[in-house]
Amino acid sequence: MTYCVAIALDDGLVFASDSRTNAGVDQVSTYSKMHTFEVEGQRVFVVLSAGNLATTQAVVHRLQRDMEDGVEESLASVERMAEAADYLGRVNREETEKHSEALSKSGMKAEATLIIGGQIGEDPPAIYMVYPQGNYITTSQQTRFLQIGESKYGKPILDRIIEAGTALGDAARCALVSIDSTIRSNLTVGPPIEVMVYARDTLTFDHYLCLEADDEYLRSLTQAWDANIKKAFTDLPRFDWESAHGRKRRGTRVSRGSARTAPGKTAPGKTKKPRR
Amino acid sequence: MTYCVAIALDDGLVFASDSRTNAGVDQVSTYSKMHTFEVEGQRVFVVLSAGNLATTQAVVHRLQRDMEDGVEESLASVERMAEAADYLGRVNREETEKHSEALSKSGMKAEATLIIGGQIGEDPPAIYMVYPQGNYITTSQQTRFLQIGESKYGKPILDRIIEAGTALGDAARCALVSIDSTIRSNLTVGPPIEVMVYARDTLTFDHYLCLEADDEYLRSLTQAWDANIKKAFTDLPRFDWESAHGRKRRGTRVSRGSARTAPGKTAPGKTKKPRR
């Protein structure tokens, strides 16, 4: 599996990805899922990839070759980010179709889902998610991030923190926290974690990080997050049935609510609403 | 969809569930997914249900009827929690099979997944997850909780907080936070949220809550959690490229790392590792 996230902010773009690929649980490898393309000072792109590894490698190879060969439509020629997404969609669909019939006979899928983001000249920076069928969506004012792969574990923290005005550093940190939460809860997502920060209108990549599991900053971040979350949890308001000390010891009952009437209850008469 | 969680602790058991059911996004209803069964002072059970609503209703009805009719195997007769899980597995499989052929012709599934927990006399309290096929798993010393339904959004906080020694109040609060995070990130999970707390060896239900969205405690809890999480995030260590004020203003660059060499780069020579 995979987990990648891209965030579009007033200040620019943030991309983050894990590096674990697996075919089943016993064939686990490390591959970068972050691919960058650049015409210096003129245009920058980041492509994040999830899905069939053969397909995503073929797609990235095509993007690279089309650019180098100077073919009519490539990341060097498109004039808007939406056109880049459309082009990537076509390449993705074509590469997927090559092997999908043979793969489906073996019960496998050739499908890949990608995110492309960046900026072309004076066109505003943008991010797009490109589906296996070649269609694509972008962000809205309310929805500032796109995720591919194992996206659910890491979504709540993005939902809480990310908005259009979030600073690039905060968004990059939030992406790291989101990926770290996913890694803790799901074995199929793993380090190194890559992060790319693009500051609007600079037309060059601002900051790139490739953080191994033992990276000093990543370790300090995840340790701080774990401690801060535990404190955030400890500071929550208590139920009124908890003792003043906030801990019920085993065997001691502070208060006792009666059970609610249950469908299968055999003893009648206990119908009063239980206390909290 | 649905989200239910059960937690087994040294001190007892905690159950929590949302109440939203849906067939597609336009047929959304409210149904309790928490069902209790009790022989007063002798045995208590909580059943949490996810999956096809017709199947889960039929299963709950069977559990209730078998108990009332005094049939040979019922929640009133089983002697261990593992036997209760085995019996529930059989009932689930039988009720699923009744309609699965007809449903599969319409492209639908009759499957239901359930959690059963409780205590029978002096047998230790336990929780089991029962699959549509009738097999079942329980917890381990390391894995103290079981989830059914839309479980991924709410798993990271359980992974961080829950361990065998967690107090019942803390576990109930953690379950609420887990469900609240899920509700925020996924429309198909919704209030009211039900919580049941069972203190070990009491053989009666300890505390039951049914929290509507506007419940005072739930509101204070979710507001405090949102504020605490944001503070936990703000207090994280910063990247060394962030300014002393911790905010990079748009257009001002504090430091500048060069882009890493990308597969599609057209300009050669920029191969140095970018700074963080």
Side-chain angles (χ1 to χ4, degrees), chain A residues 34 36 150 152 159 170 173 185 205-206 215 217 228 232 237-238 242 247-248 253 257 260 262 276, chain B residues 34 36 150 152 159 170 173 185 205-206 215 217 228 232 237-238 242 247-248 253 257 260 262 276:
Chain A
M34 182 180 288
T36 58
E150 191 61 85
K152 293 183 179 182
D159 280 332
D170 287 335
R173 200 162 21 255
S185 289
F205 294 115
D206 206 34
D215 177 90
Y217 177 72
N228 292 3
R238 299 186 178 277
E242 289 178 284
R247 293 279 177 278
K248 260 184 73 175
R253 310 273 303 280
R260 74 176 168 145
R276 197 186 276 163
Chain B
M34 182 180 287
T36 59
E150 192 60 85
K152 293 182 179 181
D159 281 332
D170 287 335
R173 200 161 21 254
S185 289
F205 294 114
D206 207 31
D215 177 89
Y217 177 71
N228 293 2
R238 301 187 175 277
E242 289 179 284
R247 293 280 179 278
K248 259 185 74 179
R253 310 273 303 279
R260 75 179 169 144
R276 194 186 280 165

Side-chain angles (χ1 to χ4, degrees), chain A residues 6-104:
Chain A
I7 307 172
L9 306 158
D10 293 342
D11 283 358
L13 309 174
V14 169
F15 304 86
S17 56
D18 85 312
S19 300
R20 187 156 296 171
T21 64
N22 63 300
V25 289
D26 56 351
Q27 200 175 335
V28 176
S29 317
T30 300
Y31 281 93
S32 171
K33 296 155 193 178
M34 182 180 288
H35 318 279
T36 58
F37 304 85
E38 185 178 8
V39 178
E40 216 177 354
Q42 297 175 33
R43 50 181 66 204
V44 292
F45 303 95
V46 175
V47 172
L48 305 175
S49 55
N52 185 294
L53 183 61
T55 301
T56 61
Q57 286 186 350
V59 167
V60 168
H61 185 65
R62 271 280 298 279
L63 299 184
Q64 185 180 340
R65 219 180 44 204
D66 285 357
M67 214 168 161
E68 286 166 359
D69 293 355
V71 301
E72 198 180 329
E73 187 181 32
S74 79
L75 290 180
S77 74
V78 291
E79 290 177 5
R80 309 261 172 202
M81 283 306 299
E83 281 177 44
D86 196 78
Y87 159 70
L88 177 59
R90 176 171 66 80
V91 171
N92 190 26
R93 196 175 55 240
E94 286 171 7
E95 292 300 330
T96 303
E97 278 168 7
K98 278 187 192 168
H99 302 282
S100 62
E101 195 182 322
L103 278 170
S104 73

Side-chain angles (χ1 to χ4, degrees), chain A residues 244-255:
Chain A
H245 303 296
R247 293 279 177 278
K248 260 184 73 175
R249 283 208 219 89
R250 182 168 163 175
T252 60
R253 310 273 303 280
V254 174
S255 74

